[in-house]
Amino acid sequence: MELQYVYQKKRAEFGRQCIFSDKGPDLIDNYAANKELGQNYILQDPVSQGSQCGPILAEHELNTTRANFVNCGINHIEGGWPKDVNKDDEEQTKRYRRKIEKDDAYNPIIMQLCKSMENCVLQNNSINIYQQYFSDIEATPLVEKSSARTVNVYQDQCHTKRPINRISWSPDGGTKLAVTHCDLTFQKPTNIDGCHSYLWEVENPNRPLLIFTPRATPMVCLEYHTKDVNTLVSGHLSGRIAVWDARKGCEPVQRSVTDISHREPVNCVLWINAKSGLEFFSTSTDGQVKWWDARKLSEPLETLELMSPSETTQRPMSACSLEYEPTIPTRFMVGTEKGVIISCNRKGKSPSEKMATRYMAHLGPVLAIQRNAAYVKNFLTIGDWTARIWSEDCKESSIIWTCYHRDQLIDGGWSPTRVSVFFTARSDGTLDVWDILQQQKQACLGIKVSDESLSCLRVHDQGRLVAVGNVKGTTNLVQLSENLSTSSKVDRTLLTAMFERENKREKILEARNREIRLKMKTKSTQVIGVESVCHLDNLQPFAVNIAKDPGVRTTEDEFFNTIAKGEDKESIKE
């Protein structure tokens, strides 16, 4: 280790000339002796005297037998074979081993050697009280209270405040934020001056880094490329698709033609894990899913119509959300306005094969779908005032769901770093943080982000930041505490056990429901057969039994009383 010391002094003293002069000695101080003080002391000759304060005791030492250890190296070479046995020949060595094991002296020799070997094993198993045996185990972390705070606010620069529809983080660690503003109110006139959207730097909320200016219609959705920080793709209110390059300014570099684009607003666009890295797909309320190549927007690569097999009109179902997992490149999920989630496979030959699985998820539009980053078979859906967690193994019902909220849930998403945490945005301006390993009946944390209704949210890749947009065009950047963004070693084990338990429970319930439906179907078939043969009076006891039910009688009385009150009000109005 290099040691040094720096001597410092003023520059005025540095290099000053030393001036010497002749000078005699000076007496600084002098104390004269006082002989009168010597009378107070008695002179004594030097005397040596020894003393022992404690008793003399004998000293004894006692110690256990010391074990002497020697460190030495051993070269392990297989030996002990007779000269006529080649140790490299497997057949000869096996034959010789069987011969030795059949010998009568083999067992006594082994038993004798086992005693010394057992003594060595017990010595190795002895515990050293000063040794740290559990150095690889981390100390139990302190229980941190869940908290969140708003760190930045990004305001809409337009005079007319417009809702935020989509937020996208840049792939370079989330240093930039792309935000789209569009009012999707039905038949509301579009203000041409208010069609622009913004690209923000996370550290600079005062002024946007870039302002995107579409020519005629505003952007509904905007998505960053998964690897290129300068490439973005957007879907517009007119149904057209555009590709943007942040290095080339505020104008799009390519736009799709109106004839081959969507007929209604594009609700979602997502990049695909393809060989070229420039393919993406989009969906709209016109019920179509289109695949595109960013290098050629003159026509889509493929188009899929979301047809409903139950309807005779054969009208496609309006799509309002998309989900794509890069680890499953050929599969994607679409959420419709009828509450149906369609699990699609692009490699299917026919439309029925491409849309093989359907989930009756919600009573209203499916506003958001997202798979869990660690459990791709489980996905989260948002709609009709609830958030539901589904499993691909259970198609009839979700495995976990929240209660029905008083305020509508607008958007949601999983945390990419803590596998058991997901977020929901409500119409009263509250951001809820759910941790299903802690509690399932209510959110573990609720943050009042704004007084207006929230419109969308997007979680940062590191899980610590959440960007939340509202209907007044304000984007709030919320920072979460570390315990809500960091997974422990046991989280995945506990969540796996929870999902497996809920899957098993739902499968049992599905089997029971199928059994009940089969019995009811069989019973209804028998009743129809009896009606075709017998008179209707023979079935009178069934009606009598139902009428005797007090719950049915109370419900009928309330129903008729309500109708009577309504008729009285109409007669008064007349």
Side-chain angles (χ1 to χ4, degrees):
M1 182 175 63
E2 183 179 359
L3 298 177
Q4 62 179 1
Y5 180 77
V6 180
Y7 293 90
Q8 297 179 353
K9 61 182 178 179
K10 296 181 179 179
R11 184 64 185 88
E13 299 176 358
F14 182 76
R16 176 180 292 183
Q17 182 182 0
C18 297
I19 301 175
F20 301 97
S21 62
D22 295 335
K23 187 178 181 182
D26 294 335
L27 181 61
I28 298 175
D29 202 352
N30 183 22
Y31 293 94
N34 190 359
K35 296 181 180 180
E36 296 179 355
L37 297 177
Q39 299 177 2
N40 298 330
Y41 295 92
I42 301 174
L43 298 178
Q44 186 178 3
D45 294 335
V47 177
S48 298
Q49 183 179 0
S51 62
Q52 179 65 30
C53 299
I56 299 175
L57 300 176
E59 183 179 358
H60 299 278
E61 294 182 357
L62 181 63
N63 195 6
T64 58
T65 304
R66 182 181 297 273
N68 297 321
F69 299 95
V70 178
N71 294 328
C72 61
I74 300 177
N75 188 13
H76 295 276
I77 298 176
E78 187 176 359
W81 299 98
K83 295 181 179 180
D84 57 341
V85 177
N86 184 10
K87 62 183 182 62
D88 297 329
D89 190 355
E90 186 177 358
E91 291 295 332
Q92 292 187 15
T93 54
K94 287 183 178 180
R95 192 180 305 111
Y96 184 75
R97 286 194 184 97
R98 287 195 295 267
K99 178 181 177 182
I100 295 299
E101 290 173 358
K102 292 180 180 179
D103 193 357
D104 296 338
Y106 175 76
N107 290 333
I109 293 174
I110 292 298
M111 295 299 296
Q112 185 179 359
L113 294 176
C114 284
K115 294 181 179 180
S116 58
M117 182 185 66
E118 184 179 2
N119 186 22
C120 296
V121 172
L122 293 176
Q123 288 181 356
N124 291 332
N125 291 336
S126 61
I127 298 176
N128 183 5
I129 63 175
Y130 299 105
Q131 183 177 354
Q132 182 66 29
Y133 285 93
F134 306 103
S135 59
D136 57 334
I137 297 179
E138 299 179 357
T140 304
L142 298 176
V143 179
E144 182 182 2
K145 185 178 180 180
S146 300
S147 61
R149 63 188 183 95
T150 302
V151 293
N152 271 338
V153 178
Y154 309 91
Q155 297 285 350
D156 187 5
Q157 304 297 310
C158 185
H159 297 288
T160 304
K161 303 304 179 184
R162 305 157 299 163
I164 296 176
N165 297 97
R166 186 72 174 179
I167 300 174
S168 179
W169 292 92
S170 61
D172 59 343
T175 59
K176 300 180 184 64
L177 204 63
V179 181
T180 59
H181 297 261
C182 180
D183 193 350
L184 295 176
T185 305
F186 181 65
Q187 291 186 348
K188 185 174 183 178
T190 303
N191 185 8
I192 300 177
D193 297 332
C195 293
H196 49 269
S197 297
Y198 307 102
L199 182 64
W200 296 88
E201 278 186 332
V202 175
E203 300 296 335
N204 184 16
N206 299 322
R207 181 177 298 176
L209 178 65
L210 182 64
I211 300 178
F212 296 106
T213 55
R215 298 176 183 175
T217 57
M219 292 187 291
V220 180
C221 55
L222 182 65
E223 191 70 25
Y224 258 108
H225 193 277
T226 55
K227 296 181 180 179
D228 189 359
V229 71
N230 296 311
T231 305
L232 301 95
V233 63
S234 63
H236 294 246
L237 187 65
S238 60
R240 301 177 69 179
I241 304 296
V243 178
W244 303 78
D245 193 340
R247 297 167 295 184
K248 297 183 179 180
C250 57
E251 294 288 336
V253 293
Q254 286 192 59
R255 297 181 68 184
S256 62
V257 185
T258 306
D259 297 339
I260 51 93
S261 301
H262 293 280
R263 299 187 297 271
E264 295 183 15
V266 181
N267 287 326
C268 190
V269 288
L270 292 176
W271 291 93
I272 301 174
N273 188 10
K275 293 182 179 179
S276 63
L278 295 174
E279 294 184 11
F280 62 93
F281 69 125
S282 61
T283 188
S284 171
T285 51
D286 61 356
Q288 292 182 343
V289 180
K290 293 178 179 290
W291 283 264
W292 306 84
D293 192 334
R295 298 167 294 183
K296 183 182 177 182
L297 295 182
S298 58
E299 59 179 354
L301 301 176
E302 186 180 350
T303 302
L304 175 64
E305 291 189 355
L306 305 175
M307 306 302 296
S308 177
S310 60
E311 294 184 359
T312 57
T313 57
Q314 293 298 317
R315 294 183 59 186
M317 294 184 290
S318 299
C320 51
S321 57
L322 265 181
E323 194 283 329
Y324 178 76
E325 174 61 34
T327 57
I328 316 174
T330 61
R331 297 176 59 187
F332 63 96
M333 304 183 76
V334 184
T336 64
E337 291 185 348
K338 294 185 177 181
V340 180
I341 297 177
I342 306 175
S343 180
C344 305
N345 189 352
R346 190 182 177 186
K347 295 300 180 181
K349 297 181 180 180
S350 62
S352 59
E353 293 180 359
K354 292 181 179 180
M355 300 179 290
T357 309
R358 299 171 187 263
Y359 303 88
M360 299 301 298
H362 296 278
L363 302 176
V366 182
L367 302 177
I369 313 172
Q370 188 179 8
R371 291 183 183 269
N372 192 305
Y375 304 90
V376 294
K377 283 190 174 182
N378 299 95
F379 55 93
L380 173 72
T381 62
I382 303 295
D384 61 20
W385 295 270
T386 58
R388 296 177 179 270
I389 299 176
W390 297 76
S391 174
E392 291 185 348
D393 299 332
C394 302
K395 297 179 176 57
E396 295 185 7
S397 61
S398 55
I399 59 174
I400 300 174
W401 58 89
T402 64
C403 61
Y404 282 87
H405 295 75
R406 289 182 176 271
D407 302 286
Q408 185 181 4
L409 298 184
I410 305 300
D411 200 357
W414 288 100
S415 171
T417 54
R418 186 170 176 85
V419 294
S420 61
V421 171
F422 66 91
F423 306 90
T424 57
R426 299 196 316 216
S427 60
D428 62 343
T430 304
L431 174 67
D432 290 330
V433 185
W434 298 78
D435 192 345
I436 56 178
L437 289 181
Q438 294 184 8
Q439 54 187 4
Q440 295 84 31
K441 293 185 178 180
Q442 61 182 1
C444 62
L445 180 64
I447 312 107
K448 184 69 174 178
V449 179
S450 66
D451 296 331
E452 292 80 16
S453 172
L454 301 181
S455 56
C456 64
L457 67 86
R458 195 69 178 268
V459 188
H460 191 268
D461 292 338
Q462 297 179 2
R464 219 35 216 284
L465 300 174
V466 182
V468 186
N470 60 18
V471 295
K472 293 298 182 180
T474 303
T475 304
N476 295 272
L477 193 62
V478 180
Q479 184 179 10
L480 305 172
S481 56
E482 189 175 355
N483 64 327
L484 295 176
S485 58
T486 306
S487 294
S488 61
K489 293 183 178 180
V490 297
D491 282 352
R492 294 205 174 193
T493 305
L494 296 176
L495 192 60
T496 302
M498 175 182 287
F499 282 160
E500 290 179 353
R501 181 183 70 247
E502 297 300 327
N503 283 343
K504 185 176 180 181
R505 182 178 67 87
E506 289 299 327
K507 287 180 180 178
I508 293 173
L509 293 176
E510 287 180 4
R512 177 60 179 167
N513 290 334
R514 285 194 295 268
E515 183 180 352
I516 292 174
R517 288 197 297 268
L518 181 60
K519 289 182 178 179
M520 293 179 65
K521 185 178 180 181
T522 305
K523 186 176 180 180
S524 62
T525 305
Q526 294 176 355
V527 170
I528 291 172
V530 171
E531 285 182 351
S532 60
V533 177
C534 302
H535 193 266
L536 190 60
D537 294 337
N538 295 331
L539 300 179
Q540 188 175 1
F542 294 99
V544 172
N545 293 332
I546 295 174
K548 290 181 180 180
D549 190 356
V552 176
R553 189 183 302 108
T554 304
T555 305
E556 288 181 352
D557 294 340
E558 293 177 356
F559 176 72
F560 288 118
N561 291 334
T562 304
I563 293 176
K565 291 180 182 179
E567 291 177 353
D568 294 339
K569 290 181 180 179
E570 290 180 357
S571 60
I572 291 171
K573 291 180 181 179
E574 291 177 356

